[in-house]
Amino acid sequence: MQTRKTLITTVLAAAGVGLGGMSGAAASTGFSDDVVRIGVLTDMSGIYTDLSGEAAVEAVRMAVEDFGGELNGTPIEVIYADHRNDPSVGASRAREWYESDGVDMINDLSNSGVAQAVAGVAKEQQRHAIVNSSSTLAITNEHCSPYATHYTYDAHSLAHGTGKSIVEEGGETWFFLTVDFAFGHGLEEAVSEVVRNAGGQVVGAARHPLDTTDFSSYALQAQASQAEIIGIASTGADAINAINSLAEFGVTPDQQPAALLLWFDDVDSLGLEAAQGLLLTNAFYWDADEDTRAFSERFYERTGRMPNMAHAGNYSSTMHYLNSVQAAGTDDPDAVSEKMRSMEINDFFADGGYIRPNGRMVHDQYMWEVKAPGESEYDYDYMELVSTIPGEEAFQPLEESTCYLLDD
Amino acid sequence: MDLFGVPIQALLGQLMLGIVNGSFYAVLSLGLAIIFGVLKIVNFAHGAFFMLGAFVAFMAGSYLGIDYWAALLIAPLVVAGIGMLFEYLFLRRVYGLDPIYGLLLTFSLVLVLEGGFRVAFGSSGQAYATPEALRGAINLGFMILPEYRAFVVAASVTVCLATWYVIERTRLGAYLRAATERSELTGAFGINVPLLVTLTYGAGVGLAAFAGVLAAPIFHVNPSMGSTLVIIVFAVVVIGGLGSIFGAVVTGLGLGIVEGFTRVFYSEFSSTIVFLVMVLVLLVRPAGLFGRTEG
């Protein structure tokens, strides 16, 4: 009897949700449910907390406050959740947000596995998702949609920054230390392609699980490969531990480690002594010019840390979304998407940035070299600009994208 | 020369690394086994105490200028103190209850400690320098072995032997074993069993902290450094036989080596192999390799 009752309640509840969803869709002129709601889906407790986490939420809040906190009298609300680096957790939270919590746009999306899963949900639910802190090319290829935007960087821009410049300097044979999930695989693949196109050779790869502490065994494998370059296709604590182990086992100087995705926070954690000379392909550095410094100092006052490129991207993309909603005069996802992909982005983060039909935000990328301890003159003075990679070169050419939106 | 298509040199290198990792497993599972033996508590917080040991060494170094060698002694004592306080205030309240309560209580401590340190120090962690005297490397012919890693093996083996000696050959150890077997009877002889239990918990987590200090210069000191390790260490203890001290040490070293070899042949499988071994062992010997069946 009890089970029957529960079953009936469940069916009724499910029907209720369905109806609720329909009424939400029907009211698609103006602002749905009288609030513009932004959800920040991020890593609040795992390995990528420093890269995204609470500071990402703060960046989005800053953008909302700077925008004025409301859109023609409709309040803008920011909520957040932890995806625990689990694509299924991320996807179900995204579905719940879109379906029953009236979330109009999800931002940040660290972890490539989570980002892919959420891009899928966004497409199905026809709501916006903006990827700032992960690299998977799937967002602008097989998982593309009018609602998914890939904003700050991606595997292609990393490969054509750090990867390409090392190949050009003569690094011919490569061995990869790759983190064993979508992000690592995608990055390894993109860099391998650059290496092969330049006449280089990939001699092997070792795959390690996410959040590995002991890299000694991988360091030995890298050593045994005798490759000139050890490409580190991981980031955050993984990349830091890999760099330390390679140094400990005397892999350098015959072999050169190349960290393919390093963040400002990684350099901070490694310290300049260990990190000096490493190359970073980052879309943003706090100390680049007047505008970046102004933003970064405000950010620092709120969070106690300097922003990295994803934090800056979170701010810039939120602002762009809100500007697009305002220009469209509605939060209807299709109308907003059209505005987002037609309006140019000019702020401290991007100069003449624009979003391609497949959702790729095109803007310049920069290659930085980590300073030696003696060269650093003040707090957080870590990097020097090596070169600027124009957006058109940094990102995947549109004709190579497999996005279905480009078919006609 | 090749063995199964892998150069012998590479295999020897991995064997060596397996021993280094195995010695971490050994010290950690030793502490876990002692605690389980006496308290009958599955100490889920073991990895967190390992992490705490590394952080205490880091904080002592950067705030108080205490060097590595002093930290190697001080950090385990500090952590043991924290552990004993935890045992006295919380853990002893769940002894008579279903084991799940002890597991939940210790697990909640993990969440609190890891979360706290993540807020205070971030998730990328902090660097801890290798002590000056051990910065070099030994060329073994088949590999370059950093001196510090050799020291880790020596220190771990020494600590394991010393612990074994205390438990098996001293009066204190005899009390401890008596309290494990028949705690009420031991109490009747005028021995303060609750104190003994508190000290045992302190010693167990002190060992974890010792391993944490050993690990600090190798791994970046970060809040999650213990959580990945502790799962493997649990498997080690189960394979070795719950509560068996000898079993924990031998299995720790053995599994370190098995894991090292797996990384050569099929790296993706290296995080799973330990659990496969566990399943196989439990099928054949449900009490573990060195465990005794009850009754």
Side-chain angles (χ1 to χ4, degrees), chain A residues 4-280:
Chain A
R4 196 179 141 79
K5 210 168 153 186
T6 319
L7 187 71
I8 293 171
T9 326
T10 314
V11 171
L12 286 177
V17 168
L19 288 173
M22 275 173 69
S23 64
S28 63
T29 45
F31 299 110
S32 57
D33 54 25
D34 292 326
V35 58
V36 175
R37 199 167 281 132
I38 299 173
V40 185
L41 192 54
T42 185
D43 182 358
M44 299 293 279
S45 57
I47 183 170
Y48 298 143
T49 312
D50 277 1
L51 317 180
S52 48
E54 216 169 291
V57 181
E58 211 51 44
V60 171
R61 282 196 188 125
M62 260 175 91
V64 169
E65 281 167 32
D66 290 352
F67 189 82
E70 53 160 15
L71 245 162
N72 305 338
T74 306
I76 307 164
E77 193 184 294
V78 179
I79 58 175
Y80 64 90
D82 185 357
H83 58 50
R84 311 189 66 86
N85 286 303
D86 183 338
S88 62
V89 171
S92 59
R93 176 54 63 117
R95 181 163 284 121
E96 192 184 314
W97 271 357
Y98 288 140
E99 273 183 358
S100 42
D101 295 341
V103 167
D104 296 289
M105 183 268 272
I106 296 180
N107 207 334
D108 195 52
L109 296 169
S110 45
N111 186 311
S112 287
V114 174
Q116 281 184 25
V118 173
V121 178
K123 183 175 176 177
E124 168 202 311
Q125 300 284 323
Q126 308 191 337
R127 294 284 181 92
H128 282 273
I130 302 178
V131 179
N132 269 304
S133 19
S134 51
S135 71
T136 175
L137 284 172
I139 307 299
T140 50
N141 287 274
E142 60 267 34
H143 289 296
C144 84
S145 71
Y147 317 103
T149 306
H150 203 171
Y151 204 81
T152 303
Y153 73 105
D154 65 21
H156 195 276
S157 71
L158 296 173
H160 286 253
T162 312
K164 195 173 172 194
S165 83
I166 289 168
V167 172
E168 279 168 1
E169 275 171 26
E172 278 197 356
T173 49
W174 285 64
F175 183 87
F176 288 97
L177 292 185
T178 306
V179 59
D180 197 10
F181 78 105
F183 154 61
H185 297 177
L187 188 52
E188 182 193 319
E189 201 181 295
V191 176
S192 297
E193 199 188 304
V194 170
V195 170
R196 283 193 212 98
N197 287 345
Q201 197 191 346
V202 177
V203 295
R207 304 266 160 81
H208 63 84
L210 181 67
D211 212 355
T212 294
T213 31
D214 180 47
F215 276 86
S216 52
S217 148
Y218 305 112
L220 281 200
Q221 290 180 46
Q223 217 170 18
S225 76
Q226 294 180 340
E228 289 166 66
I229 306 293
I230 316 294
I232 300 170
S234 62
T235 196
D238 281 336
I240 291 170
N241 276 322
I243 291 167
N244 283 336
S245 290
L246 288 173
E248 192 193 353
F249 281 86
V251 175
T252 43
D254 306 341
Q255 296 174 301
Q256 190 66 40
L260 300 167
L261 172 53
L262 267 193
W263 297 77
F264 180 79
D265 317 81
D266 298 337
V267 174
D268 190 51
S269 169
L270 270 165
L272 294 185
E273 187 63 48
Q276 57 182 309
L278 287 171
L279 293 174
L280 288 75

Side-chain angles (χ1 to χ4, degrees), chain B residues 34-57:
Chain B
I34 294 175
I35 292 173
F36 184 81
V38 177
L39 282 74
K40 299 284 177 281
I41 285 275
V42 181
N43 185 31
F44 230 87
H46 216 64
F49 283 114
F50 167 81
M51 178 271 289
L52 200 58
F55 265 106
V56 169

Side-chain angles (χ1 to χ4, degrees), chain A residues 386-398:
Chain A
V386 178
S387 61
T388 302
I389 309 153
E392 290 295 331
E393 278 174 40
F395 293 104
Q396 185 187 36
L398 209 48

Side-chain angles (χ1 to χ4, degrees), chain B residues 97-141:
Chain B
L97 305 174
D98 192 291
I100 195 79
Y101 289 95
L103 207 138
L104 280 175
L105 180 62
T106 50
F107 184 62
S108 64
L109 182 68
V110 175
L111 296 180
V112 171
L113 283 177
E114 285 191 359
F117 276 93
R118 193 170 290 117
V119 170
F121 293 96
S123 62
S124 341
Q126 305 287 331
Y128 188 88
T130 310
E132 204 75 55
L134 298 172
R135 293 255 167 96
I138 314 159
N139 193 341
L140 298 177

